[in-house]
Amino acid sequence: MTRLMAAAVLSTAGVLTGLGADLAGSGEAGTSGERAVIKQFATTYSSPSTESLPVHHLMAGREVDAMCFREGQVIAENPLWFLIEADGRSAWIHRDLIVPPAVLPHC
């Protein structure tokens, strides 16, 4: 459990310090969130878990609005999920499937 918490802290620190820096400055912050890009075909979910209801199926390269991030189901040793908005609907996507903005608040 301690290892999981340490991984979550390090992952969170990485998000806050620029894992998505390649998108920094690519657009103005809007009322709906910061722009992010889907890395590969992805399914989004109603909560930060693949056991919740699917919401979207998004193609690689699709831009979405990223609102915030939080911890959820751990996939590939990473607990981070991002709340995004696409097609007028909010949903959760795992960190491995998105290039997030450089800075995003914790939900």
Side-chain angles (χ1 to χ4, degrees):
M1 183 66 139
T2 303
R3 214 171 138 201
L4 176 61
M5 302 249 325
V9 169
L10 291 174
S11 296
T12 301
V15 168
L16 295 176
T17 58
L19 280 178
D22 54 333
L23 291 181
S26 66
E28 295 285 322
T31 57
S32 59
E34 296 284 339
R35 298 307 279 172
V37 176
I38 304 302
K39 288 183 183 180
Q40 63 191 40
F41 179 79
T43 300
T44 64
Y45 296 92
S46 59
S47 68
S49 168
T50 58
E51 295 180 12
S52 62
L53 296 174
V55 177
H56 305 98
H57 297 290
L58 302 173
M59 300 302 292
R62 168 85 186 262
E63 289 190 4
V64 296
D65 289 325
M67 313 301 281
C68 58
F69 72 96
R70 67 170 272 199
E71 295 75 16
Q73 177 186 5
V74 177
I75 299 174
E77 299 184 20
N78 190 332
L80 296 183
W81 288 73
F82 289 81
L83 180 62
I84 59 123
E85 185 176 306
D87 303 327
R89 295 170 57 192
S90 297
W92 294 92
I93 187 168
H94 188 262
R95 170 63 180 97
D96 288 348
L97 301 173
I98 190 170
V99 178
V103 178
L104 205 60
H106 193 273
C107 297

